[in-house]
Amino acid sequence: MPRKKTLPTGSGISEERYKGTTFFRARLSPVFLGEGSKKKAFPKRAEAEAWIFEELRNLKGKTNAIPIAEKWDIPVASIADATVALGILGGRASLVAAAQAWVNFLGTEKKTKTMAEAIDALRIEQKAEGLGE
């Protein structure tokens, strides 16, 4: 059974079977506890959820989950941009590959000459080849 989104970060419940008996295993990760982990089996999912929230109350409501922005020292706006960019890419390429392609594209800027510069360049080429104007 997929993790319920109502559970605190770093906790989870899975439905398991042993010798025909179904039970629910609740897990608390180091993200939830700070260090170490805990797991416990319950006959009903509601009991497993109650245990998780009781452990949360014992921690005084503060899990040790560090927001990704703080963990990686990335501005929250950059994380939002990356999320949008990944949605635009739709799995076609990694964000790194897309950024590299963009940098390559910017590096190959077309430099256009003015008409006067083009005429001067043509005259220089004609002189080099020994041609007249």
Side-chain angles (χ1 to χ4, degrees):
M1 180 174 275
R3 179 175 176 252
K4 264 184 106 171
K5 294 181 182 186
T6 58
L7 295 175
T9 302
S11 64
I13 299 174
S14 60
E15 183 176 347
E16 299 181 18
R17 287 187 168 280
Y18 181 74
K19 295 185 179 180
T21 304
T22 301
F23 63 95
F24 297 88
R25 185 177 312 276
R27 292 181 175 86
L28 303 176
S29 74
V31 171
F32 184 92
L33 297 170
E35 60 179 37
S37 61
K38 287 183 181 179
K39 56 185 168 180
K40 195 170 179 183
F42 298 91
K44 296 182 180 176
R45 183 177 179 88
E47 293 174 10
E49 287 178 11
W51 178 73
I52 289 172
F53 287 106
E54 180 63 31
E55 290 293 318
L56 184 60
R57 279 189 292 281
N58 292 342
L59 291 171
K60 296 182 178 41
K62 295 181 181 178
T63 65
N64 292 305
I66 300 169
I68 291 174
E70 291 176 23
K71 182 177 180 181
W72 294 98
D73 194 27
I74 300 172
V76 175
S78 294
I79 291 176
D81 284 348
T83 303
V84 171
L86 289 169
I88 291 169
L89 289 172
R92 282 176 269 186
S94 74
L95 197 52
V96 173
Q100 187 61 52
W102 180 249
V103 168
N104 292 343
F105 172 76
L106 292 177
T108 59
E109 252 182 61
K110 294 180 183 175
K111 295 187 179 183
T112 58
K113 296 180 180 180
T114 64
M115 187 61 83
E117 292 171 336
I119 291 171
D120 289 340
L122 178 62
R123 285 185 179 150
I124 292 170
E125 283 180 27
Q126 287 176 335
K127 280 185 184 178
E129 293 177 13
L131 302 173
E133 292 186 22

